Amino acid sequence: MTENVEDQVNFSQTSGSEQQTPHFLRDVIFHGKFKRLKALTPEENTRSQHGLFFQDGQRRVDYVLTYSVKKSSGSHSTRQSVHLLTENVVARSFRHGPQSGGEKLRAKQTQRTKDSSSVPSSKVIDMELGCSGEIFNGQEDQKAFRREEFEGKLRDMGLELEKDEDGKIPGVYFVKIHAPWNVLCREAEFMKLKMPTKKVYEVKQSNSIVEKISTLISKILEPLHPHVEEHQPKNIKHLSHTFSREKQHLFDLSDKDYFFDSKTRSSIVFEILKRTKCKAKYSMGITSLLGSGVYTAAYPLHDGEIDEESADPNDRKLLYEEWANYSVFYKYQPIGLVRKYFGEKIGLYFAWLGLYTQMLIPASLVGVIVFLYGCATVDDNIPSMEICHPRNNITMCPLCDRVCSYWKLSTACGTARASHLFDNPATVFFSIFMALWAAMFMEHWKRRQMRLNYEWDLTGFEDEEEALKDHPRAEYEFKVMQKSLRKRQKSQDKIEKLTFQDRLPAYMTNIVMMLLMIGVTFAIVFGVILYRISTKAALHMSSSLITRNHVQLTVKTTAAIINLVVILILDEVYGAVARWLTVLEAPKTDKSFEERLIFKTFILKFVNAFSPIIYIAFFRGRLVGRPGSYLYVFDSYRMEECAHGGCLMELCIQLSITMLGKQLIQNNLFEIGIPKLKKLIRYIRSKQGAFQEEERQKKLTRYETDHFLEPFGGLTPEYMEMIIQFGFVTLFVASFPLAPLFALLNNIIEIRLDAKKFVTELRRPVAARAKDIGIWYNILRGVAKVAVIINAFVISFTSDFIPRMVYQYMYSPDGSMHGFVNHTLSYFNVSHFQDGKEPMDPSHFGYPVVICRYKDYREPPWSNTPYELSKEFWAVLAVRLAFVIVFQNVVMLMNDIVDWLIPDIPKDISLQIHKEKILLVELFMKEEQGKSYIIDSSTSADGKENCSKHNNNSKVAPPRSRRHTNSTKSF
């Protein structure tokens, strides 16, 4: 009896002040607390003060729930709820036998009705709990009742709870949860967790030349590996098997803290919290309670302090020193320790990010070589030399109506030379290389993923994953409950589900909103186009010579910056819209919810990031018309043209500003600044000034400190920014060979930035098992396939590679590039300008201009078909289309060859998996043989004993009564 009361001590403490607790219970509590504190050793006392353990210093805190109560002094409803909770504690502490849930609920309702007789109340149906008939006087009473019921259910599930309402954070209370050994074993069996058995085997390395070279390289790169001690040698591996309580003797239970580490314990508790429900059929677990404000937060604890020299060694501190630190940026990541602390899902993300960053090294080197090749050959580029020649007196047509004058082609010398840095024959080679690089990266990741699956005992995880992830989400169950209530079903046997017809309004809303958001993106791109057109005309009217000479650069740069700002703003808006639309759909499972959210977010953010770039690459300068017959928007804005160097230079400017801006501002500054800002706001809201941070950190316990950290919001933002970056690296790499280099530099910082965020700025996530990166791999493959097509079009239509090749092999008199610039320019008679569109200063050069030139393949004004498209145009177009088809098919074929040549599963891993299966069979065969031997031994021993008794009885025939006595004793 005393033991039961002592287990309820911490709960009764939270039921109210001492004045509201019955005297006899307060005495029991006092003696129980005194007895417990007296039994604590100094080490246990220290551990309990740090907040990682219960007050007894022995039971570890596996999970924490927090809630807030708005206290109003003298409030009758508050006293009433406290009294109710106290009575429930007394009833639970001193009950003599099990009591059904319905009896307890009726007792609570009766008690609440009696206590609230003098207070007006109303009958409320709790839709989320699915329980009706409860009478509440206020929202806080309702939340308190639901907490009481939920925590009672947790205790019935075997969890141990301890409350702390005397913390240092005003208005915030904590429920500490501990899972005892029997609960861990039960849930591990239910979740089909693979655990290490006692069987240990040696992973033998092959003696092939490749393995010897790999071993030599590993020894050379030894200084780059983090100083993380492994629990066991790398060449020794425990044989793992799905946990079973009946076969506990097979598992390695020598170190129970290692067997069920903090990551596993917290994930087990979280699974219990998710499926612990109220008595009604459609009630929900912790997700619903968090959404309705019954609890304000739920999280596992970090291991301990990281920045104190006196802090005990722990995995978190080790991760901070060897991983989440900018000083170790050159080292490999301790992926095994990351997985041990955060779980497989987060471990796979950082493993993928690390491999992606490593693969960017060769891509960056080749990109730099291509760029340097452009720099080295710019002085030998004949088209650039012709444009920059001082005797080049080619007069070009105005770039805008009225305010723009005629200009000399030689003024585009700088743009032409700069374009050659990115538009040269090496660019084609680099595009093919990057397509093969993407295929190699995908294959390399599949092999790396299989190796991690083997090392982390995730082989054969598909069936378990599907079984666990089919559990419906709380929001889905709530909508099903609403549907059932609308139909007023009395039969509880028929299980409802959401049909296509139920979801049809949500699907229609999704389609309309997605199209609307994409339309908003296109509208903003169009607005930036109008900005460029109007700004160019305004700057040409400037009285400053410097301003007029730098019109193109000013307009391009400012437009790119505007696009960047809009992209950053819309990214946040689209992320919120995608989540809202996914919630509206009410997917059944968490996996389905995550995949739909990722798909919507990717579509919106991809269109947002790449719409301005696609416009510049494929549409700008092609919907212009010609002098005398230009295309106008709203009858006043003339569509903009590309400079003579082509649109590739402008594409490079837009791509570089967008890519660098997103990486510096969104990926880095936002990730550092926003969590710190939110943390500061939480400090201020907790009525503790930010200036007291250091002093407060010394006094707060672990669960109080973690309360101020930012909640973990999932890996979708982390993956999304890397996928968009992968798009920048692969989709338009023909126009910006330095993209892989900038991505590499960003990712070196990104890895440590994300690591520091996970270790220091975020609450510890609940460990989630996963054997792959999910839908992100399919998105990567899709982007890699689209990149081949886009680069083919960029090379053939955006750059001058095809026109140069056609001129050199079809029209050049000597097979060289001399005369190429003149070949690409058409003639226009200035007398054919439309009225009101001619330049205001026709004698800008001191003499009247009769003929001006413009870039296009058209017939001259003196031909029979003036200004019609020439045969050169159709020849170039045919070659461009042919190049797209050949380039696409050749590169796709090479990708398929790479995919076929490289096996998805490394050979050594395949052999080890096969070996593990054989060892498992042998292990269970030995167990069965041992059981058979024990049974046979016991059977033979019993037979011999019975035989000897029979012989003894046959030799001497004792009296009947004596024989009866002996037989009774033997039995």
Side-chain angles (χ1 to χ4, degrees):
M1 177 70 71
T2 307
E3 196 172 13
N4 290 335
V5 173
E6 190 174 336
D7 288 338
Q8 303 294 335
V9 164
N10 295 285
F11 180 79
S12 60
Q13 284 177 326
T14 67
S15 301
S17 59
E18 276 193 14
Q19 295 175 356
Q20 294 164 333
T21 307
H23 292 288
F24 70 93
L25 180 61
R26 194 162 64 241
D27 295 337
V28 174
I29 291 173
F30 174 79
H31 290 296
K33 288 176 66 178
F34 178 76
K35 180 180 177 181
R36 178 174 294 174
L37 291 175
K38 187 176 180 180
L40 292 182
T41 64
E43 181 184 358
E44 292 172 345
N45 190 28
T46 303
R47 290 159 76 181
S48 66
Q49 289 175 359
H50 287 171
L52 292 172
F53 290 82
F54 277 21
Q55 289 295 327
D56 56 12
Q58 296 178 356
R59 292 174 293 172
R60 188 178 186 90
V61 178
D62 298 320
Y63 215 86
V64 171
L65 304 177
T66 69
Y67 63 92
S68 58
V69 177
K70 298 178 181 178
K71 290 185 177 180
S72 55
S73 58
S75 172
H76 178 75
S77 62
T78 305
R79 288 197 302 271
Q80 174 184 323
S81 63
V82 169
H83 177 64
L84 170 64
L85 298 182
T86 306
E87 292 298 325
N88 287 335
V89 174
V90 177
R92 254 199 338 269
S93 301
F94 293 98
R95 67 175 180 257
H96 297 285
Q99 190 179 15
S100 67
E103 292 174 353
K104 287 189 286 184
L105 193 61
R106 284 193 296 272
K108 292 173 187 175
Q109 182 175 350
T110 304
Q111 180 64 42
R112 183 177 292 275
T113 306
K114 290 179 181 179
D115 290 341
S116 59
S117 58
S118 60
V119 182
S121 60
S122 60
K123 188 176 181 179
V124 180
I125 296 178
D126 188 355
M127 297 296 293
E128 294 195 16
L129 277 171
C131 304
S132 60
E134 297 303 325
I135 300 175
F136 299 105
N137 288 320
Q139 190 176 7
E140 292 302 320
D141 287 352
Q142 182 181 0
K143 291 180 180 179
F145 171 75
R146 294 174 67 183
R147 279 195 297 270
E148 166 70 4
E149 184 182 20
F150 183 71
E151 290 163 13
K153 284 289 184 180
L154 293 182
R155 289 189 178 90
D156 293 341
M157 292 289 290
L159 297 178
E160 298 175 2
L161 276 61
E162 183 179 82
K163 285 199 174 184
D164 179 9
E165 291 193 348
D166 299 324
K168 303 175 183 65
I169 306 177
V172 179
Y173 307 107
F174 299 88
V175 180
K176 296 174 282 185
I177 303 175
H178 169 76
W181 176 260
N182 61 325
V183 174
L184 294 174
C185 294
R186 182 192 72 209
E187 295 299 319
E189 184 174 1
F190 172 75
M191 296 169 63
K192 299 181 180 180
L193 296 181
K194 276 192 172 183
M195 293 298 186
T197 63
K198 294 178 181 178
K199 179 69 175 178
V200 178
Y201 69 96
E202 183 180 359
V203 181
K204 294 183 179 180
Q205 301 292 335
S206 62
N207 295 324
S208 62
I209 298 176
V210 177
E211 288 295 334
K212 290 180 179 179
I213 295 174
S214 177
T215 304
L216 178 62
I217 294 174
S218 299
K219 290 181 179 179
I220 295 174
L221 299 178
E222 187 66 29
L224 301 181
H225 290 279
H227 301 294
V228 178
E229 294 183 5
E230 298 289 341
H231 187 76
Q232 59 188 21
K234 289 183 178 180
N235 60 336
I236 300 297
K237 191 176 187 297
H238 276 277
L239 191 64
S240 297
H241 189 261
T242 305
F243 184 78
S244 173
R245 285 175 287 179
E246 295 179 355
K247 296 181 174 62
Q248 282 195 42
H249 58 281
L250 295 179
F251 294 91
D252 183 16
L253 303 178
S254 57
D255 186 354
K256 292 189 176 182
D257 289 337
Y258 176 74
F259 191 77
F260 285 124
D261 56 7
S262 58
K263 165 184 68 75
T264 308
R265 297 173 72 98
S266 63
S267 62
I268 287 176
V269 174
F270 180 68
E271 287 297 325
I272 296 175
L273 293 175
K274 279 202 304 184
R275 70 172 191 268
T276 300
K277 301 180 179 181
C278 156
K279 302 164 188 63
K281 180 180 178 183
Y282 293 107
S283 59
M284 290 150 277
I286 188 63
T287 308
S288 173
L289 298 178
L290 288 171
S292 57
V294 176
Y295 292 100
T296 56
Y299 52 90
L301 297 183
H302 280 294
D303 274 1
E305 298 298 331
I306 55 175
D307 50 0
E308 293 182 6
E309 295 182 359
S310 59
D312 296 330
N314 57 74
D315 288 340
R316 187 189 184 200
K317 185 175 182 180
L318 189 58
L319 283 171
Y320 180 75
E321 294 172 351
E322 295 294 331
W323 182 52
N325 202 323
Y326 294 110
S327 61
V328 294
F329 73 92
Y330 59 91
K331 289 187 177 183
Y332 291 105
Q333 299 182 85
I335 295 298
L337 186 59
V338 174
R339 174 252 179 178
K340 178 186 173 186
Y341 192 76
F342 292 111
E344 287 80 5
K345 196 168 187 178
I346 294 176
L348 280 173
Y349 163 70
F350 281 103
W352 174 84
L353 180 57
L355 179 65
Y356 171 50
T357 304
Q358 290 178 24
M359 291 292 291
L360 282 173
I361 296 175
S364 302
L365 292 176
V366 176
V368 170
I369 292 172
V370 169
F371 179 74
L372 293 177
Y373 170 81
C375 294
T377 58
V378 66
D379 292 331
D380 300 327
N381 183 40
I382 295 176
S384 299
M385 293 169 62
E386 288 183 350
I387 293 174
C388 298
H389 200 279
R391 295 182 182 178
N392 190 343
N393 292 322
I394 297 178
T395 302
M396 304 296 293
C397 296
L399 295 175
C400 61
D401 293 337
R402 300 293 293 167
V403 295
C404 297
S405 300
Y406 302 104
W407 57 285
K408 294 294 184 180
L409 181 61
S410 58
T411 59
C413 175
T415 304
R417 290 173 62 88
S419 296
H420 179 73
L421 302 178
F422 306 101
D423 186 6
N424 55 69
T427 306
V428 181
F429 159 76
F430 189 55
S431 300
I432 299 174
F433 170 81
M434 287 303 296
L436 295 177
W437 172 87
M440 289 287 292
F441 166 58
M442 305 299 291
E443 293 302 314
H444 196 178
W445 168 243
K446 283 196 290 188
R447 291 171 61 84
R448 172 68 170 154
Q449 190 171 257
M450 280 304 303
R451 189 174 295 278
L452 291 176
N453 286 339
Y454 164 72
E455 293 176 357
W456 296 350
D457 298 319
L458 293 173
T459 52
F461 180 59
E462 295 92 348
D463 297 336
E464 306 163 25
E465 185 181 28
E466 292 301 322
L468 290 174
K469 290 193 175 181
D470 281 343
H471 185 74
R473 298 175 63 248
E475 291 81 358
Y476 177 83
E477 288 187 327
F478 182 62
K479 292 211 172 201
V480 171
M481 181 190 66
Q482 288 181 320
K483 180 181 177 182
S484 301
L485 291 176
R486 283 196 300 267
K487 290 188 174 183
R488 297 180 179 178
Q489 285 186 337
K490 295 182 180 180
S491 174
Q492 296 294 329
D493 297 331
K494 185 178 179 181
I495 300 176
E496 286 290 337
K497 63 179 182 179
L498 296 183
T499 61
F500 177 81
Q501 187 176 0
D502 296 327
R503 289 195 172 104
L504 186 59
Y507 289 153
M508 295 303 297
T509 305
N510 270 259
I511 294 173
V512 171
M513 286 299 297
M514 291 286 287
L515 293 177
L516 177 63
M517 293 297 102
I518 293 174
V520 168
T521 302
F522 291 160
I524 291 174
V525 172
F526 184 70
V528 175
I529 294 172
L530 296 182
Y531 162 80
R532 276 199 293 254
I533 295 171
S534 56
T535 305
K536 184 186 295 184
L539 292 178
H540 274 293
M541 297 173 63
S542 174
S543 58
S544 173
L545 180 62
I546 299 176
T547 302
R548 291 198 303 270
N549 290 339
H550 297 86
V551 169
Q552 292 288 342
L553 181 62
T554 304
V555 171
K556 294 175 189 175
T557 307
T558 55
I561 293 174
I562 291 173
N563 273 323
L564 171 63
V565 173
V566 170
I567 287 171
L568 294 178
I569 295 173
L570 289 184
D571 265 357
E572 303 301 319
V573 175
Y574 289 165
V577 170
R579 177 167 290 276
W580 173 67
L581 292 176
T582 310
V583 171
L584 204 62
E585 283 186 72
K588 183 176 181 180
T589 62
D590 288 329
K591 183 179 180 181
S592 176
F593 180 88
E594 185 180 21
E595 289 180 349
R596 295 185 187 202
L597 174 62
I598 289 170
F599 179 75
K600 293 181 184 66
T601 309
F602 172 74
I603 293 296
L604 292 176
K605 292 193 174 184
F606 184 87
V607 172
N608 182 40
F610 290 101
S611 291
I613 299 171
I614 291 174
Y615 163 74
I616 293 175
F618 302 125
F619 297 100
R620 184 176 178 182
R622 288 167 180 80
L623 304 174
V624 178
R626 61 169 180 82
S629 181
Y630 283 114
L631 180 66
Y632 290 89
V633 181
F634 304 136
D635 295 330
S636 56
Y637 294 99
R638 188 178 117 187
M639 290 300 292
E640 53 187 346
E641 301 179 53
C642 294
H644 185 76
C647 287
L648 200 68
M649 191 61 203
E650 298 181 31
L651 177 62
C652 177
I653 293 174
Q654 179 69 58
L655 190 64
S656 58
I657 290 179
T658 304
M659 181 180 179
L660 295 177
K662 277 181 66 68
Q663 292 182 164
L664 291 175
I665 298 174
Q666 189 178 44
N667 299 356
N668 293 333
L669 294 181
F670 283 7
E671 287 191 11
I672 295 173
I674 290 180
K676 290 186 177 296
L677 182 62
K678 290 183 177 179
K679 187 177 178 181
L680 178 62
I681 292 173
R682 278 192 293 273
Y683 280 148
I684 296 173
R685 285 181 177 177
S686 67
K687 300 177 183 179
Q688 302 186 47
F691 57 88
Q692 300 172 343
E693 180 175 354
E694 293 184 2
E695 182 181 353
R696 180 176 58 255
Q697 289 287 352
K698 295 178 182 178
K699 295 180 180 179
L700 294 182
T701 57
R702 178 77 268 149
Y703 52 86
E704 290 172 328
T705 304
D706 286 1
H707 175 72
F708 287 108
L709 299 178
E710 177 75 7
F712 174 64
L715 290 170
T716 300
E718 313 299 334
Y719 273 115
M720 188 63 66
E721 66 185 56
M722 288 296 106
I723 296 295
I724 297 297
Q725 185 201 83
F726 183 77
F728 283 123
V729 169
T730 55
L731 291 176
F732 295 92
V733 72
S735 62
F736 191 39
L738 295 179
L741 176 63
F742 289 119
L744 173 64
L745 297 176
N746 173 79
N747 288 4
I748 291 174
I749 301 173
E750 179 75 19
I751 289 175
R752 306 302 164 179
L753 183 65
D754 282 349
K756 193 167 186 178
K757 182 174 68 174
F758 272 84
V759 174
T760 63
E761 301 293 337
L762 296 180
R763 292 174 188 162
R764 186 174 182 177
V766 178
R769 289 186 296 168
K771 68 174 299 179
D772 52 39
I773 59 176
I775 193 175
W776 296 110
Y777 181 79
N778 298 327
I779 293 176
L780 281 171
R781 287 187 66 87
V783 171
K785 298 290 185 184
V786 172
V788 176
I789 302 172
I790 287 184
N791 279 300
F793 276 95
V794 168
I795 293 171
S796 59
F797 284 91
T798 308
S799 73
D800 282 337
F801 174 76
I802 298 299
R804 286 196 301 263
M805 188 172 64
V806 170
Y807 174 78
Q808 185 173 2
Y809 293 104
M810 292 181 64
Y811 298 104
S812 175
D814 55 359
S816 68
M817 293 301 297
H818 290 286
F820 170 73
V821 174
N822 186 66
H823 176 76
T824 59
L825 298 177
S826 298
Y827 295 87
F828 179 73
N829 191 331
V830 298
S831 62
H832 295 163
F833 270 122
Q834 295 174 332
D835 293 338
K837 305 296 183 182
E838 67 277 359
M840 291 187 299
D841 186 10
S843 302
H844 175 68
F845 296 116
Y847 56 88
V849 176
V850 178
I851 297 292
C852 66
R853 310 289 296 273
Y854 61 99
K855 189 175 182 181
D856 204 349
Y857 291 102
R858 290 183 180 271
E859 297 291 343
W862 53 81
S863 68
N864 296 328
T865 55
Y867 307 125
E868 294 293 327
L869 295 174
S870 64
K871 60 179 182 180
E872 287 87 356
F873 171 83
W874 299 110
V876 171
L877 180 62
V879 175
R880 280 174 165 167
L881 295 175
F883 176 84
V884 169
I885 295 172
V886 172
F887 182 90
Q888 174 186 339
N889 286 280
V890 168
V891 174
M892 291 290 189
L893 177 63
M894 295 172 71
N895 285 348
D896 292 339
I897 293 174
V898 170
D899 192 359
W900 177 71
L901 288 176
I902 302 176
D904 294 345
I905 305 177
K907 186 177 181 181
D908 60 326
I909 297 300
S910 180
L911 294 174
Q912 293 298 337
I913 293 174
H914 181 67
K915 181 180 178 180
E916 277 198 1
K917 292 180 180 179
I918 296 174
L919 290 174
L920 272 175
V921 172
E922 292 178 355
L923 180 65
F924 284 103
M925 287 294 292
K926 286 182 180 179
E927 183 197 6
E928 293 299 325
Q929 290 175 1
K931 285 182 179 179
S932 301
Y933 177 77
I934 293 172
I935 293 173
D936 293 342
S937 300
S938 61
T939 304
S940 61
D942 292 341
K944 289 179 180 179
E945 184 177 355
N946 293 333
C947 184
S948 63
K949 288 179 183 178
H950 177 71
N951 293 335
N952 291 335
N953 292 338
S954 63
K955 289 179 182 178
V956 182
R960 183 181 181 90
S961 60
R962 186 178 177 183
R963 185 169 62 247
H964 177 75
T965 307
N966 288 342
S967 63
T968 304
K969 287 182 179 179
S970 299
F971 179 77

